[in-house]
């Protein structure tokens, strides 16, 4: 499952940009270890071992376990934001762009469940500046969906009672795909994406 | 936050039924420890310490750490099922009953975020019979929502393309409240419940 998961959804996986090779292998090992045992139960020794390296080799690339989590979280959040933005910036009606954004966002969460779970559930382990940086990325992600919903509501395409609350619910629905999605299950990421795009258009009261 | 969380949503909290007192204190300590550090990073010694007891005193009530998680998970799932059933069994149209079920389910997840997170995110740590028992409870929970949606669709109250998929999405939306809900945030559990009941009626294409 690991290999499929890492390459589906975006070309080369979310870690393609991480270099050198040893740094990338350590990051992937950390994602797997955090997902399996939790951040607090994982040691840098565990991570190095999974990557077939010594603890000393790990410290060449990452000073601490928190730096690994921060790096994973930043890359995960940046990818998610990039995917949403690409959909939102395409030409089309608010409904088309919102449906497209939801489809892409859902596909990404379905294809990267392990990474998405680590990123979402271990957020509390980040402190100080690392946390502030991630929270800023999350606010930018939220804003993409909110702006799309606002656009549609202002233009009369949507009928929304509570833009802020509907934005929260749409994002929550998409993010939670990472919790329940099972690559061996009945639905493909594309099918879940299509289903959710339809449900979200209903949530915003899209006309037509 | 702990005290509020444990008593809001249902009278006496989800642990009121657990006795004797020492067994209940240990269970509450385990929920807090699992939520804070994760199941795998928590030892029975940590749990006993949080409850102000010795490890030997813990073993009088629970044989293993897994038994504690199993107990927490079973009580959490039983409560959630009970809440959904109570709403579904009331008289009224399918729309009224579904809205009521969503309101109650959301309020419970918002009021019990710590328990709900442990129950949802540490499911993989349960094995064998314990896991099978919890999965059976989850299927019964899913069935309550599915039956409500099916009722409404059959009676012409709802317009649903995919009953199975819509059921999945409605449950997912409610469960994820436990991830993002913040007792110090802008919305109360009741407000989120009302918002979500409205959004879910839109998802099922409720008429009127």
């Amino acid at each position: 499952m690991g290999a499929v998961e890492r390459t589906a959804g975006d070309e080369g996986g979310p870690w393609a940009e991480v270099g050198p090779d040893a740094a990338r292998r350590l990051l992937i090992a950390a994602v797997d270890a955090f997902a399996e045992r939790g951040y607090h139960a994982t040691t840098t020794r565990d991570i190095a071992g999974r990557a077939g390296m010594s603890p000393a080799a790990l410290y060449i690339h990452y000073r601490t376990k928190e730096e690994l989590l921060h790096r994973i979280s930043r890359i995960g959040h940046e990818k998610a934001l990039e995917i949403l933005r690409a959909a939102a910036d395409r030409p089309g009606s608010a409904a088309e762009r919102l449906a497209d954004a939801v489809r892409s966002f859902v596909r990404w969460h379905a294809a990267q469940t392990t990474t998405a779970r680590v990123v979402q559930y271990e957020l509390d382990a980040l402190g100080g500046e690392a946390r502030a940086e991630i929270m800023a990325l999350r606010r930018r992600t939220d804003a993409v969906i909110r702006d799309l919903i606002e656009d549609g509501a202002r233009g009369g395409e949507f009928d929304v009672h509570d833009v802020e609350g509907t934005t929260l619910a749409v994002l929550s629905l998409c993010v939670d795909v990472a919790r329940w999605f099972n690559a061996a299950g009945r639905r493909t990421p594309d099918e879940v994406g299509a289903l959710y795009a339809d449900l979200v258009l209903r949530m915003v009261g899209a006309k037509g």
Side-chain angles (χ1 to χ4, degrees), chain A residues 106 109-110 113 172-182 192 196:
Chain A
V106 162
H109 280 91
T113 54
S172 169
L173 190 65
C174 295
V175 164
D176 196 50
V177 168
R179 180 183 57 81
W180 64 259
F181 186 79
N182 176 358
V192 180
Y196 274 43

Side-chain angles (χ1 to χ4, degrees), chain A residues 14-144:
Chain A
W15 317 120
E17 69 195 58
V18 180
D21 181 60
R24 185 171 55 252
R25 274 163 52 209
L26 286 162
L27 216 66
I28 292 170
V31 170
D32 290 343
F34 294 158
E36 209 173 292
R37 307 264 309 159
Y39 175 79
H40 294 291
T42 302
T43 62
T44 48
R45 179 173 291 274
D46 296 334
I47 296 166
R50 276 178 189 255
M53 291 183 216
S54 68
L58 183 147
Y59 291 114
I60 295 171
H61 302 284
Y62 305 99
R63 272 166 310 153
T64 60
K65 186 173 72 161
E66 191 184 336
E67 189 178 327
L68 273 155
L69 179 62
H70 179 200
R71 198 71 191 276
I72 290 163
S73 192
R74 186 169 58 208
I75 293 171
H77 279 92
E78 280 172 349
K79 280 281 169 194
L81 177 59
E82 190 184 306
I83 283 164
L84 271 186
R85 276 220 178 120
D89 289 349
R90 270 175 218 134
S93 66
E96 284 162 350
R97 286 178 295 139
L98 180 60
D100 202 14
V102 166
R103 259 191 304 267
S104 313
F105 203 47
V106 162
R107 272 199 305 254
W108 192 82
H109 280 91
Q112 316 285 341
T113 54
T114 310
T115 303
R117 282 182 206 168
V118 168
V119 161
Q120 297 296 340
Y121 305 160
E122 301 289 8
L123 212 56
D124 287 346
L126 291 178
E129 279 177 43
R131 193 180 167 78
E133 186 201 31
I134 300 301
M135 295 320 278
L137 276 168
R138 291 174 81 89
R139 282 192 296 272
R140 287 164 65 195
T141 304
D142 297 357
V144 175

